[in-house]
Amino acid sequence: MSEPPVSPAEPARIAPEEAARLAEAFRLFNAASAELTEAYGALEKQVASLTEELAQANGELRRQYEEKARLTDRLSTLLNQLPAGVVVVDGNGVIEEANPAALDMVGARPGAGWGASAARLLPADAPAEWDCTGENGQPRRLSMNEAALAGGNARIVLLHDMTRQHALKIAAARNERLAAMGEMAASLAHQLRTPLAAATLYVGTLLSREMAPADVKSIASRAQDRLRHLERLIRDTLMFARGEVLGREAIDVAALVDELQHTVEPVARQAGVTLTVTPPSAGTVSGDRKAVASALVSLLENAVQACVGGGEVGLSVDFAGNEVGFVVRDNGRGIPREIQERLFEPFFTTREDGTGLGLAIARGVARVHGGDIECESAPGAGSRFTLRLPVQTPEEVVLENGQ
């Protein structure tokens, strides 16, 4: 017997287990929805916070950019207005940057090779200075310094226009020499009168009476000695008055010392003095070779003459930093302190046949080359004279050789 059919109006009945599972699902869904809503709210807050931070960061970056732009503009204006030339050269020798002053001085242009501009620089008659012709065709005197830039092989070259300073230095040196010549005019007259009077007396004796040939030769020799002394005095006076370097060349220190040894050794041997020369290491100075050699010969001859009855004279070279010192020492009689203060005065001498200009000229030669002469001495303890000159830098050697 079959069951009666269900009426359509009667709702379907759900089992209790299914109702419980459905209710649990709705609860979990509601909980997840609540968590998602909470997470979304937190995310919205975080996005708002990040947006605010990003806006602040963008504002700070914009401020920094504007500040750097202003700084760049200022530096660019300053670089363009600088009277000194500034050139940035990369590792391949190509100019990366150059200001108008560098263009005016040596024709330095960005993208061009630095070698073409450096070829314009010719060694001048003073250390670390160079002569060149500017873009306007006028001669100029420049000084140059280089420094490596961090983070690569690039370097920066600084060029300073020394034209006016050089002219003022020449004028000051000339005025100083004129003043010195004026002060020593009276002394010069006395120095000239003494040997001239002696020579005149000797010649007058020869003319006034008959004499034996041996006496004639003796008096003529004395007159000739006085005339030679007069000639040396005039020559040294002219050299002191000129007081300038006639040329500039690279001077090999070892070759110069060898030349000095060959020049002074016969003089020392004749005086019974031992000359000891210490060969120097490699080095180069720049200047007038003849003038430097003459100044050192004067120091060595003075040292030989200070060794009475034999003695020893030494010549050595001392390299210290950017200087080279030519050291001339002797074990002679020494020089009292009160005399040391006047050693370099024109016409001051302690020798009867001296002109008093040798040391003055030697100091003038040293100073015009950017150096000086120092004296250390004590009675009975010998003397030590050191002539210091600037060492020629590798950059100066390269430019002087035209490379």
Side-chain angles (χ1 to χ4, degrees), residues 5-202:
V6 179
S7 173
E10 184 179 354
R13 293 182 180 180
I14 302 174
E17 295 81 1
E18 291 183 1
R21 286 197 297 272
L22 187 59
E24 179 64 20
F26 275 111
R27 188 185 66 77
L28 292 175
F29 176 76
N30 290 334
S33 297
E35 290 179 359
L36 287 173
T37 302
E38 184 179 354
Y40 180 75
L43 184 60
E44 281 186 331
K45 292 180 180 179
Q46 189 173 4
V47 169
S49 175
L50 290 175
T51 302
E52 184 179 355
E53 291 179 4
L54 181 60
Q56 292 177 355
N58 286 336
E60 179 64 20
L61 287 174
R62 187 178 297 107
R63 187 191 65 79
Q64 292 180 3
Y65 173 78
E66 292 173 352
E67 181 66 25
K68 289 181 178 179
R70 286 194 297 269
L71 181 59
T72 300
D73 183 63
R74 290 177 184 175
L75 290 177
S76 179
T77 302
L78 176 63
L79 190 64
N80 291 334
Q81 296 300 321
L82 273 178
V86 181
V87 184
V88 179
V89 184
D90 65 14
N92 297 321
V94 178
I95 298 174
E96 292 183 348
E97 297 180 45
N99 67 343
L103 173 62
D104 184 49
M105 291 178 185
V106 293
R109 292 177 175 83
W114 169 243
S117 297
R120 291 192 180 191
L121 301 173
L122 302 176
D125 55 4
E129 293 186 3
W130 311 90
D131 288 326
C132 75
T133 301
E135 285 290 280
N136 58 3
Q138 297 297 321
R140 309 183 80 154
R141 174 67 63 96
L142 304 178
S143 68
M144 182 178 67
N145 302 97
E146 290 192 17
L149 294 177
N153 295 326
R155 66 187 191 274
I156 185 169
V157 181
L158 300 179
L159 301 168
H160 299 274
D161 192 341
M162 306 292 293
T163 306
R164 178 172 174 76
Q165 291 89 329
H166 177 64
L168 292 175
K169 182 172 68 173
I170 291 178
R174 173 171 161 69
N175 291 337
E176 184 178 352
R177 289 196 303 273
L178 290 175
M181 288 297 292
E183 291 177 0
M184 68 184 188
S187 178
L188 176 61
H190 173 73
Q191 294 287 338
L192 293 174
R193 186 184 298 115
T194 301
L196 184 60
T200 302
L201 178 63
Y202 291 140

Side-chain angles (χ1 to χ4, degrees), residues 46-361:
Q46 189 173 4
V47 169
S49 175
L50 290 175
T51 302
E52 184 179 355
E53 291 179 4
L54 181 60
Q56 292 177 355
N58 286 336
E60 179 64 20
L61 287 174
R62 187 178 297 107
R63 187 191 65 79
Q64 292 180 3
Y65 173 78
E66 292 173 352
E67 181 66 25
K68 289 181 178 179
R70 286 194 297 269
L71 181 59
T72 300
D73 183 63
R74 290 177 184 175
L75 290 177
S76 179
T77 302
L78 176 63
L79 190 64
N80 291 334
Q81 296 300 321
L82 273 178
V86 181
V87 184
V88 179
V89 184
D90 65 14
N92 297 321
V94 178
I95 298 174
E96 292 183 348
E97 297 180 45
N99 67 343
L103 173 62
D104 184 49
M105 291 178 185
V106 293
R109 292 177 175 83
W114 169 243
S117 297
R120 291 192 180 191
L121 301 173
L122 302 176
D125 55 4
E129 293 186 3
W130 311 90
D131 288 326
C132 75
T133 301
E135 285 290 280
N136 58 3
Q138 297 297 321
R140 309 183 80 154
R141 174 67 63 96
L142 304 178
S143 68
M144 182 178 67
N145 302 97
E146 290 192 17
L149 294 177
N153 295 326
R155 66 187 191 274
I156 185 169
V157 181
L158 300 179
L159 301 168
H160 299 274
D161 192 341
M162 306 292 293
T163 306
R164 178 172 174 76
Q165 291 89 329
H166 177 64
L168 292 175
K169 182 172 68 173
I170 291 178
R174 173 171 161 69
N175 291 337
E176 184 178 352
R177 289 196 303 273
L178 290 175
M181 288 297 292
E183 291 177 0
M184 68 184 188
S187 178
L188 176 61
H190 173 73
Q191 294 287 338
L192 293 174
R193 186 184 298 115
T194 301
L196 184 60
T200 302
L201 178 63
Y202 291 140
V203 172
T205 302
L206 291 175
L207 296 175
S208 62
R209 62 175 181 267
E210 295 293 332
M211 302 180 65
D215 294 334
V216 171
K217 184 176 181 180
S218 175
I219 294 178
S221 176
R222 294 178 186 179
Q224 187 179 42
D225 288 342
R226 293 299 86 198
L227 291 174
R228 286 175 177 171
H229 177 80
L230 188 61
E231 181 185 14
R232 289 198 308 273
L233 184 63
I234 294 173
R235 180 198 63 202
D236 291 347
T237 302
L238 291 175
M239 187 178 296
F240 177 79
R242 187 176 66 232
E244 60 186 6
V245 176
L246 299 181
R248 188 182 181 205
E249 60 181 301
I251 305 173
D252 182 81
V253 174
L256 177 61
V257 169
D258 186 63
E259 176 186 330
L260 294 172
Q261 181 176 4
H262 285 84
T263 301
V264 180
E265 205 163 34
V267 179
R269 190 184 306 113
Q270 185 177 3
V273 174
T274 302
L275 177 63
T276 303
V277 177
T278 304
S281 57
T284 306
V285 295
S286 180
D288 187 329
R289 182 186 183 93
K290 183 177 180 181
V292 173
S294 176
L296 290 170
V297 167
S298 179
L299 293 179
L300 287 165
E301 288 181 345
N302 283 351
V304 169
Q305 292 165 357
C307 296
V308 179
E312 182 179 354
V313 171
L315 172 63
S316 59
V317 179
D318 176 30
F319 290 92
N322 294 325
E323 287 188 330
V324 56
F326 296 87
V327 182
V328 177
R329 65 187 185 281
D330 65 73
N331 60 356
R333 53 183 176 269
I335 306 171
R337 181 170 296 276
E338 61 273 12
I339 294 180
Q340 291 181 35
E341 298 177 355
R342 301 189 59 193
L343 279 179
F344 299 99
E345 292 181 9
F347 294 114
F348 177 79
T349 180
T350 57
R351 301 202 320 264
E352 182 178 351
D353 60 342
T355 64
L357 288 174
L359 289 177
I361 294 172

